[in-house]
Amino acid sequence: MPPPSSVLRIPAFAVALCAAVLATGCNATLRREMAAYDARLSGGLYADAATNAIHRAGRDSDDAPMWHLDAGSAAALAGDPATALDQLDRAEASFRSVDERGAVRDAGETGLAIAWSDNARRYAATGPERVFCNLEKAFLRGATGDRPGALVEFNRALQRQRNYLAEQEKAVADELEKAEKDAPSLRKVPLGSYQGVLAACRVDAADFSDPAARARAPFWNPYALHAAGVFRALYGVGGREELAQAARLFPASPRIREDAAAADAGGLPRDSVWIYVEDGLAPDYSEARIDLNFLNAYITAVHAPLPVIALPALHPRNAAHASYSVGSTALEPFADVDELVRHDFSLRFRAILTRECSRAIVKAIAGLAAHALTHSNDDRMRTVGIVAQIGLLVYNEASAGADLRVWGALPKRVFAGRFPRPADGILRLDAAGGRQYQVQLPPGPSIVRFRFPSAAATPAVFVIAFPEAD
């Protein structure tokens, strides 16, 4: 005779609870480390943040590329360009390693991710993150006087931007082809249920449901494109093409329009200073989690081990200051990095949701099969079923967890402006709230980049000089 459900109910609940506690403890370790990094960065403890990130990157885990990025940003903010460049170089090397891995290894990692969770994959960085990696290196090299090295990094940032666009265009083409083949079946899909899931995770429902909309989306980072164009123009190696492209892509930006016109008319003014202000921190992720085992333990009549569904959800973070100005002239809100991150997440969410649904279906089928064994007339098979149920409960809980890894130091938004070089050589940047920051400028034109992770933290300043003698 099979054991009564009341006998299995409490043990099943207890096993699920214990497994959840153990799994939560393992999954929470990375989250605590990421939260500690964010707290140090927001508090202005840049050197501590860099040291801890370097230590965690040294573990050579699947999370190492993320920690190299975080370490590079923190070291740059701490005024240690050598360490920052080393860490960002390591991150970039990891990108190449992931991109160049063989088909067998790639398939194996994908299979492991489907069997376990997306956390089993090596962190490869998103397209916007890769662009920012080279952009960060370009400003670091330029600020240390290595303008040839900065040129290389700006060129790489532009190439990564083009690669990102090409990858998304291919994805769009594949989606459109699939949509044409599946058109009859798509009419049967209850789209309303998907809209709720998308809204809960802050995913753009229009981008998700209409693959063609992705081709019209703004894949380009105006900050990277404009900064590269200005640098190349001041360095005397082009820039006109990049600024003209920026003007075509972002016609509403006065800053881009004026610089593109100046470059087209004969060159950028040599008595000017270009200012970029990176403000706040871009979104991180929270977890939308549904543990069906706890509901299953008391509500349903079939007490089979069920999966834990966990999806990442975008979590916007605060700006440092509302606005910036030089004198009476406000800097232009130039690039919305939150929007770049949100759009990229929207494009990736379908694959994330598909993998999670696949995992949930496989785990649910296994749980029902184990449950059926517990109702067998054979004592040995019932024992096997009970053991399988316990094992599946532990596996379901331990493998649950959304992939929340993200480069935690990206800015929330970017402001930009161009101003005549002050007569006394001192640039005075005013932030909303009455705070002023001063920078001594070198002779000749220059590019100045401010970084404000939070209102409480001391900003970092990077100056790329173009002496008239060059």
Side-chain angles (χ1 to χ4, degrees):
M1 292 292 292
S5 60
S6 60
V7 174
L8 289 176
R9 182 178 301 185
I10 298 301
F13 179 80
V15 170
L17 179 60
C18 293
V21 171
L22 292 173
T24 300
C26 295
N27 293 334
T29 300
L30 177 61
R31 299 182 200 177
R32 285 197 302 270
E33 293 174 342
M34 293 171 64
Y37 173 85
D38 291 345
R40 291 186 178 97
L41 208 67
S42 298
L45 302 176
Y46 304 139
D48 286 350
T51 299
N52 281 272
I54 291 171
H55 171 70
R56 291 178 172 89
R59 299 173 183 172
D60 197 27
S61 64
D62 290 336
D63 310 324
M66 179 194 72
W67 289 120
H68 285 307
L69 291 171
D70 282 339
S73 291
L77 289 166
D80 185 356
T83 299
L85 287 167
D86 174 68
Q87 291 298 312
L88 294 172
D89 284 343
R90 292 171 186 266
E92 195 172 12
S94 72
F95 304 160
R96 290 193 294 269
S97 176
V98 170
D99 294 342
E100 295 170 359
R101 63 190 173 191
V104 174
R105 181 175 177 181
D106 188 53
E109 186 174 286
T110 301
L112 180 61
I114 293 176
W116 190 257
S117 77
D118 283 356
N119 289 294
R121 301 171 66 95
R122 186 165 181 81
Y123 188 74
T126 65
E129 287 177 341
R130 294 186 179 206
V131 173
F132 262 102
C133 178
N134 289 106
L135 188 61
E136 179 83 54
K137 290 170 66 179
F139 277 109
L140 283 169
R141 294 194 186 281
T144 58
D146 181 11
R147 288 187 294 279
L151 176 62
V152 170
E153 297 299 343
F154 275 122
N155 290 343
R156 286 177 176 171
L158 294 177
Q159 184 59 54
R160 289 199 182 280
Q161 185 73 78
R162 288 189 287 268
N163 292 345
Y164 176 57
L165 178 59
E167 291 168 3
Q168 297 306 325
E169 286 179 336
K170 182 180 184 303
V172 170
D174 293 343
E175 288 292 335
L176 288 172
E177 182 180 355
K178 183 177 184 300
E180 290 177 0
K181 294 179 180 179
D182 296 344
S185 62
L186 288 176
R187 287 194 287 269
K188 302 176 183 178
V189 175
L191 292 178
S193 61
Y194 291 133
Q195 299 298 324
V197 174
L198 295 171
C201 294
R202 291 196 177 95
V203 176
D204 190 329
D207 286 353
F208 181 87
S209 61
D210 179 14
R214 302 179 188 178
R216 300 188 295 270
F219 293 98
W220 280 89
N221 181 340
Y223 177 31
L225 188 55
H226 182 264
V230 170
F231 177 90
R232 290 174 65 90
L234 294 178
Y235 195 39
V237 289
R240 180 179 174 182
E241 179 181 344
E242 288 77 16
L243 292 172
Q245 183 180 13
R248 290 193 300 270
L249 289 170
F250 306 100
S253 169
R255 176 75 277 119
I256 291 177
R257 188 167 58 248
E258 291 174 15
D259 286 334
D264 191 55
L268 298 180
R270 303 291 296 182
D271 60 346
S272 298
V273 54
W274 281 259
I275 303 172
Y276 299 104
V277 177
E278 298 181 7
D279 176 86
L281 295 172
D284 59 5
Y285 297 128
S286 59
E287 185 177 71
R289 183 184 180 101
I290 302 175
D291 194 332
L292 299 180
N293 284 311
F294 290 99
L295 296 176
N296 185 43
Y298 281 113
I299 298 175
T300 65
V302 179
H303 305 296
L306 293 179
V308 179
I309 298 172
L311 293 169
L314 279 182
H315 173 248
R317 293 188 280 181
N318 295 329
H321 298 287
S323 62
Y324 300 87
S325 62
V326 173
S328 60
T329 305
L331 270 66
E332 175 187 326
F334 193 65
D336 187 344
V337 183
D338 274 9
E339 173 64 18
L340 291 173
V341 172
R342 183 208 61 77
H343 179 70
D344 179 79
F345 178 62
S346 297
L347 299 177
R348 293 184 292 111
F349 187 78
R350 180 166 187 165
I352 294 171
L353 182 61
T354 299
R355 289 192 296 269
E356 187 66 13
C357 289
S358 300
R359 283 189 287 266
I361 291 171
V362 171
K363 291 176 180 180
I365 292 174
L368 292 172
H371 174 75
L373 290 176
T374 64
H375 288 71
S376 171
N377 292 324
D378 187 325
D379 289 342
R380 184 171 57 182
M381 295 304 295
R382 286 202 303 273
T383 301
V384 170
I386 293 173
V387 172
Q389 279 191 320
I390 294 173
L392 284 170
L393 281 169
V394 174
Y395 164 67
N396 288 348
E397 297 289 345
S399 62
D403 185 356
L404 307 181
R405 295 172 296 180
V406 65
W407 185 0
L410 288 186
K412 179 181 182 68
R413 53 189 179 164
V414 180
F415 295 81
R418 185 186 81 195
F419 301 89
R421 186 180 183 277
D424 61 0
I426 299 177
L427 174 66
R428 297 170 177 85
L429 177 72
D430 296 306
R435 301 181 68 176
Q436 186 178 85
Y437 304 90
Q438 298 185 5
V439 179
Q440 179 65 56
L441 299 176
S446 58
I447 299 174
V448 181
R449 171 197 175 212
F450 290 85
R451 181 71 180 96
F452 290 83
S454 72
T458 302
V461 185
F462 308 83
V463 180
I464 303 178
F466 299 87
E468 293 292 354
D470 289 357

